[in-house]
Amino acid sequence: SQKQPCLPNENTPAAAAYKGEAWLFLGVANSDALLYDDEFQEAKSRFPKNLRIDYALSREQENKKGGKMYIQDKVEEYADEVFEKLNNGAHIYFCGLKGMMPGIQDMLKEACAKKDIDYDA
């Protein structure tokens, strides 16, 4: 059995003290395969200022180039906002199969180049 994700709506001291924003980019093939969607939607409804969710549904959505929508495409849609948050101290974590990382790294390098940021620094 899979462990439930830690959500801000859990009754824990850490959840009660949390005042930041968690932004989840969740990628799956189809909307019927969304992991823990009921729990995420409940948390989002209870804490709308603390949880933001964007989906990349590879078999249901298209990226701006007309191809399948993957995590890197969804993050790229919000690149300006993501980089603003990173510049203000946010952290970014990617979880999933290691085969997805080259596409994510390519997108980040491209976004950095557009912003005149040295990706390798």
Side-chain angles (χ1 to χ4, degrees), residues 4-5 7-11 24 35-53 55:
Q4 295 278 331
L7 298 170
N9 65 338
E10 292 181 346
N11 189 17
L24 173 66
L35 301 171
Y36 305 112
D37 195 49
D38 292 341
E39 292 87 351
F40 286 133
Q41 293 305 322
E42 178 189 348
K44 185 177 175 185
S45 70
R46 289 183 61 200
F47 302 95
K49 294 179 181 178
N50 302 101
L51 181 61
R52 185 169 170 180
I53 304 170
Y55 299 108

Side-chain angles (χ1 to χ4, degrees), residues 83-95:
F83 275 83
E84 179 183 334
K85 289 179 180 297
L86 290 170
N87 284 335
N88 288 318
H91 298 273
I92 190 167
Y93 301 93
F94 293 97
C95 302

Side-chain angles (χ1 to χ4, degrees), residues 48-64:
K49 294 179 181 178
N50 302 101
L51 181 61
R52 185 169 170 180
I53 304 170
D54 279 283
Y55 299 108
L57 306 172
S58 62
R59 294 194 182 138
E60 295 179 15
Q61 298 172 319
E62 287 187 355
N63 63 27
K64 66 182 179 183

Side-chain angles (χ1 to χ4, degrees), residues 78-88 107-108 111-112 115 117:
Y78 297 99
D80 289 342
E81 193 173 352
V82 168
F83 275 83
E84 179 183 334
K85 289 179 180 297
L86 290 170
N87 284 335
N88 288 318
M107 177 276 301
L108 290 171
C112 284
K115 298 179 173 307
I117 298 170

